[in-house]
Amino acid sequence: MRRTPRPLVLILAVSALAAAALTPLTSAEEKVILTPKPGPEPRINGARVFGVRPRSPFLFTIPATGERPMTFAVEGLPDGLTLDTATGQITGALAARGEYAVTFKATNRSGTIERGFKIVCGDTLALTPHMGWNSWYVWENHVTDGIMRAAADAMVSSGMIDHGYQYVNIDDCWAVKPGSNDPTLQGPERDARGMVNSNGRFPDMKALTDYIHAKGLKAGIYTSPGPLTCAGHVAAWQHEEQDVARFVEWGYDFLKYDWCTYLGGGRDKTIDELQRPYRLASAILAKQPRDIVLNLCQYGMGKVWEWGASVGGNSWRTADDLGGRFEGIPAALFRDGFDVYSKNELHRHGGPGRWNDPDYLLIGYLSDWQGGTAATPLTPNEQYTHFSLWCLVSAPLIFSGDITRLDDFTLNILTNDEVIDVDQDPLGKPGRRVAKSGDLEVWVKEMEDGSKAVGLFNRGEGLAEVTALWADIGVQGRQKVRDLWRQKDLGVYKDALKAFVARHGVVLVRMWPEGK
Ligand code: GAL
């Protein structure tokens, strides 16, 4: 006799549900922290594979939670690399191409943990989606050297580094702004060699990247292929070689290359015109003695996902700015996050070294675009939805709220290691929507170990029961199911999983065939 699956009732933001039938829930939801805090025992987190080019400076910090002091060890570390056993920072350079299977170990007074890791020395960077922080959505045009240093400090003190966050990226507004009345934005645009200068808010870029690197983190910068950036600062037009050389001289590891004023800024361009600046930039980057990840930003023009990797992009923005309008963020999450992705079947285009980028994580405190900051307009459940979707589709996890003002709820969204494992899975196979019934959607990502990560989403305005059928997920028989936000086993299910999901909320699970 067939057993009917046990009903699963998972309720996010319980207190909000009572009001569901009566009023919209936007401001009524409580911030329910679902994720248990990491324990004192060591746990190694984040990516399990890392790409580097031969002879490039190598920097990878083993992300590990657990009580300090902690001691690190690496078995099988190839020649050329050195481990700092107190910090877990691996530095040096690899001479020979190849795959190096190593074992990371972390020990503290509660025990020792081991985890396999693969270093791939070849041509491909960004073998898993980038994780980090970007200045734009909180600091926009008033970013400074001090803000970037404080962000690096906070990435360490908040513990985000222990979950795999790595990049500390300046967005627009570090270069001189022609015509500005603000003395800190004035000055010579370039030096005698034609190399781009930073403005007075960034007195010493090399010292800044040294500061970021010393913490085991990486540094990112931004420019446009046009004459000016979107905010009107000097950009790379006809100085592409010099500006990339400048970024190398300064020690940057990541470049966001934003269309902005290129070819007059219009969007009526041929595919060749759309590709040209990115081909040029990636050809220049390939010649550098330093690894710089290339992030294409041109808002999805010309179906960039179809050719972003072929012009050398490691990731490409798939739509306009998610936070273009502060109050518009929730709508943009569903439109540009969910719908752009499924309509264009973006899962077919992502993979190791080449990721769809639906823009930054807009949680915590964001710029209100009036000189101040404000709490994200996303409800608590929308924030779980935002992060879950990004992990299911293998999106870069770049937080762009105020990293120096992280409340416990925001930190719980950003640092759930089992959820991050979905994003960072070494197979690098972006998930996709497998079922839609009105406002209810089921998304699935195949994981390297043969398990599936499954998101049950409710885009509707009230509580609803979402059913995820085995036939849609692509599994059979009895499945062991684990709730990833709560880090809790739910039991064994057959044929389907049903969950009550709150307005704009999600239940995110991972399932393995029973016995595995
Ligand atoms: C936009 C871009 C944003 C941000 C901004 C800076 O074009 O999409 O992410 O970089 O420019 O001016």
Side-chain angles (χ1 to χ4, degrees):
M1 213 181 76
R2 287 178 64 173
R3 257 195 343 141
T4 22
R6 265 191 291 152
L8 171 70
V9 180
L10 292 173
I11 293 177
L12 306 182
V14 182
S15 68
L17 298 174
L22 306 170
T23 49
L25 299 176
T26 317
S27 57
E29 286 180 25
E30 264 177 36
K31 293 180 173 176
V32 179
I33 293 180
L34 296 176
T35 303
K37 285 223 183 311
E41 67 288 347
R43 186 187 195 278
I44 298 172
N45 304 310
R48 286 191 281 136
V49 57
F50 178 69
V52 64
R53 296 183 311 152
R55 294 175 298 282
S56 292
F58 187 105
L59 173 62
F60 184 89
T61 302
I62 302 172
T65 44
E67 204 174 46
R68 265 42 181 191
M70 194 176 281
T71 313
F72 294 91
V74 181
E75 249 170 42
L77 196 64
D79 281 351
L81 301 185
T82 321
L83 168 75
D84 180 323
T85 56
T87 60
Q89 291 176 23
I90 305 171
T91 53
L94 287 171
R97 290 168 174 269
E99 289 197 9
Y100 304 89
V102 301
T103 305
F104 289 164
K105 288 188 182 182
T107 304
N108 67 11
R109 69 173 186 188
S110 301
T112 294
I113 192 82
E114 286 188 11
R115 201 189 205 199
F117 190 86
K118 201 160 67 175
I119 298 166
V120 184
C121 183
D123 297 315
T124 312
L125 306 177
L127 295 180
T128 64
H130 345 299
M131 291 179 67
W133 177 83
N134 171 286
S135 61
W136 182 247
Y137 278 110
V138 56
W139 298 114
E140 20 113 354
N141 66 7
H142 38 283
V143 65
T144 63
D145 171 279
I147 284 173
M148 296 309 297
R149 286 173 191 248
D153 292 347
M155 198 170 276
V156 176
S157 63
S158 67
M160 282 176 68
I161 188 174
D162 302 331
H163 301 271
Y165 290 89
Q166 207 182 5
Y167 289 97
V168 180
N169 294 352
I170 319 180
D171 206 272
D172 201 348
C173 305
W174 57 265
V176 167
K177 183 166 183 175
S180 170
N181 298 325
D182 182 335
T184 64
L185 300 178
Q186 297 164 355
E189 296 174 12
R190 296 178 175 275
D191 70 5
R193 299 169 299 162
M195 312 281 271
V196 66
N197 285 331
S198 52
N199 62 40
R201 298 175 183 181
F202 290 90
D204 187 342
M205 284 292 206
K206 180 69 174 69
L208 174 58
T209 67
D210 284 348
Y211 185 85
I212 293 171
H213 291 146
K215 293 179 178 287
L217 298 167
K218 299 194 178 201
I221 196 158
Y222 164 105
T223 192
S224 166
L228 293 174
T229 67
C230 296
H233 294 244
V234 172
W237 174 247
Q238 293 187 331
H239 291 87
E240 295 84 359
E241 293 268 359
Q242 285 150 313
D243 287 2
V244 168
R246 182 62 128 181
F247 301 151
V248 169
E249 178 180 288
W250 280 343
Y252 279 99
D253 310 292
F254 185 104
L255 173 63
K256 172 173 170 183
Y257 209 36
D258 192 355
W259 182 268
C260 299
T261 60
Y262 187 75
L263 298 186
R267 298 194 171 196
D268 50 341
K269 304 294 181 259
T270 64
I271 293 292
D272 179 60
E273 286 168 334
L274 290 172
Q275 294 184 345
R276 208 179 303 151
Y278 295 107
R279 283 191 196 284
L280 177 61
S282 63
I284 299 170
L285 286 169
K287 295 185 295 190
Q288 306 304 315
R290 181 169 193 90
D291 292 352
I292 299 186
V293 166
L294 179 61
N295 173 229
L296 278 45
C297 178
Q298 48 85 291
Y299 339 117
M301 291 189 287
K303 299 194 170 171
V304 62
W305 41 85
E306 289 180 355
W307 48 264
S310 72
V311 300
N314 294 118
S315 55
W316 45 84
R317 273 271 301 281
T318 51
D320 268 311
D321 294 13
L322 194 69
R325 268 191 335 108
F326 183 80
E327 324 72 46
I329 294 173
L333 168 64
F334 291 107
R335 184 186 62 234
D336 296 340
F338 282 77
D339 294 337
V340 165
Y341 189 95
S342 34
K343 175 166 160 254
N344 296 291
E345 302 196 335
L346 297 190
H347 64 278
R348 297 197 291 122
H349 305 290
R354 43 190 292 175
W355 308 105
N356 294 297
D357 170 11
D359 211 353
Y360 304 131
L361 296 163
L362 299 186
I363 63 177
Y365 289 95
L366 305 170
S367 168
D368 62 7
W369 305 105
Q370 289 163 28
T373 56
T376 179
L378 294 169
T379 63
N381 284 319
E382 286 166 347
Q383 296 182 52
Y384 281 113
T385 290
H386 183 11
F387 202 90
S388 302
L389 183 75
W390 263 230
C391 291
L392 285 165
V393 301
S394 314
L397 299 178
I398 306 278
F399 172 51
S400 194
D402 188 348
I403 190 169
T404 65
R405 260 204 303 166
L406 285 166
D407 56 275
D408 284 351
F409 180 80
T410 307
L411 204 56
N412 124 94
I413 298 268
L414 290 170
T415 59
N416 181 319
D417 297 306
E418 296 189 26
V419 176
I420 291 173
D421 281 347
V422 175
D423 184 73
Q424 294 291 305
D425 187 66
L427 186 62
K429 196 161 180 210
R432 66 195 176 97
R433 189 171 75 195
V434 297
K436 179 169 176 66
S437 159
D439 291 327
L440 312 181
E441 300 189 1
V442 178
W443 289 63
V444 176
K445 176 172 182 174
E446 287 171 37
M447 304 286 284
E448 191 197 36
D449 67 351
S451 65
K452 312 269 183 188
V454 184
L456 286 72
F457 293 97
N458 171 13
R459 298 172 54 167
E461 294 303 316
L463 178 69
E465 190 181 37
V466 182
T467 303
L469 297 172
W470 275 199
D472 291 333
I473 298 172
V475 294
Q476 289 174 337
R478 292 162 65 84
Q479 298 286 319
K480 198 174 71 186
V481 178
R482 185 165 169 84
D483 179 332
L484 296 185
W485 281 111
R486 292 176 176 78
Q487 301 187 345
K488 214 170 118 194
D489 290 335
L490 298 175
V492 174
Y493 291 80
K494 210 167 121 41
D495 302 331
L497 180 72
K498 290 171 188 278
F500 283 100
V501 184
R503 170 190 185 267
H504 293 188
V506 62
V507 168
L508 181 68
V509 300
R510 187 163 168 183
M511 55 180 72
W512 295 259
E514 193 185 17
K516 289 220 172 148

